[in-house]
């Protein structure tokens, strides 16, 4: 089952950054959609033991080509990620293309590790966008897994020494 989606509908979804919390659980953003404009951005990165943790990074809009391309950069001078979204008409439908680039002097050292951590949130963002555009419901928030053991375990009872 596939729906034919208009380019404008896909474009509206990815560029209404204040509405991200209404359709995705992987990013919370606010700000203006202007090149060079700062965004307040919180991304949820995957933990090794499951769950996720919020990370807040300085973020700015680096490209806006109306109805076609949108990109933001996050990070610091030594390590910077550029997330790029491109909307293309394809046949009777629309294709959303997403890419992440890593820049900076530390990109060779830390880039691969950070790319692994950012992979699941990026895939989750795209899955949530697809679900929303196809008329699905909003996903549940990202929550850490419930512990298998209770937080409080009674101390073992010691019997007298012999």
């Amino acid at each position: 089952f596939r729906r034919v989606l208009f380019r404008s509908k896909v474009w509206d979804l990815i560029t209404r950054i204040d509405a991200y919390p209404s359709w995705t659980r992987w990013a919370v953003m606010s700000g203006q959609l202007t090149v060079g404009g700062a965004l307040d951005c919180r991304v949820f990165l995957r933990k090794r033991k499951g769950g996720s943790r919020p990370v807040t990074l300085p973020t700015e809009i680096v490209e806006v080509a109306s109805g076609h391309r949108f990109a933001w950069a996050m990070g610091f001078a030594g390590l910077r990620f550029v997330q790029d979204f491109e909307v293309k008409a394809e046949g009777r439908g629309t294709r959303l293309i997403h890419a992440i680039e890593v820049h900076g002097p530390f990109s060779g050292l830390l880039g691969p590790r950070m790319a692994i951590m950012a992979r699941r949130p990026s895939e989750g963002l795209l899955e949530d966008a697809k679900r929303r555009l196809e008329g699905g419901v909003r996903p549940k928030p990202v929550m850490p897994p419930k512990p298998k053991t209770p937080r409080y375990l009674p101390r073992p009872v010691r019997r007298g020494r012999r």
Side-chain angles (χ1 to χ4, degrees):
F1 170 69
R2 286 188 93 119
R3 290 186 181 201
V4 176
L5 297 170
F6 295 106
R7 220 166 80 173
S8 61
K9 196 170 187 178
V10 177
W11 179 254
D12 286 344
L13 182 74
I14 63 168
T15 57
R16 288 185 47 223
I17 52 181
D18 290 332
Y20 272 40
S22 71
W23 62 268
T24 187
R25 59 188 177 195
W26 295 101
V28 176
M29 290 195 261
S30 62
Q32 297 297 318
L33 189 67
T34 56
V35 175
L39 294 175
D40 291 327
C41 179
R42 191 170 68 223
V43 178
F44 296 88
L45 296 179
R46 190 188 73 170
K47 287 183 178 180
R48 284 186 187 174
K49 296 181 181 179
S52 65
R53 64 183 164 99
V55 175
T56 303
L57 294 169
T59 307
E60 69 174 315
I61 302 286
V62 292
E63 183 179 359
V64 178
S66 185
H68 174 66
R69 190 180 206 113
F70 166 58
W72 73 71
M74 59 177 47
F76 304 98
L79 186 64
R80 192 173 160 148
F81 293 90
V82 177
Q83 296 229 13
D84 187 16
F85 296 91
E86 187 174 355
V87 180
K88 283 186 172 181
E90 185 175 274
R92 290 182 31 205
T94 303
R95 177 181 286 259
L96 175 61
I97 301 168
H98 175 257
I100 299 176
E101 298 174 3
V102 182
H103 301 280
F106 297 116
S107 62
L109 180 64
L110 298 173
R113 180 175 167 86
M114 294 301 288
I116 290 169
M117 289 177 65
R119 182 178 187 173
R120 181 62 191 132
S122 298
E123 289 173 350
L125 184 78
L126 295 174
E127 289 168 7
D128 290 348
K130 182 177 188 245
R131 182 180 301 116
R132 178 61 174 236
L133 289 165
E134 291 179 345
V137 297
R138 181 174 186 263
K140 293 180 181 177
V142 179
M143 299 293 289
K146 291 183 179 179
K148 293 180 182 176
T149 57
R151 290 182 179 205
Y152 171 76
L153 292 174
R155 293 184 181 197
V157 178
R158 288 190 168 190
R159 299 189 185 230
R161 291 186 177 183
R162 292 186 188 191

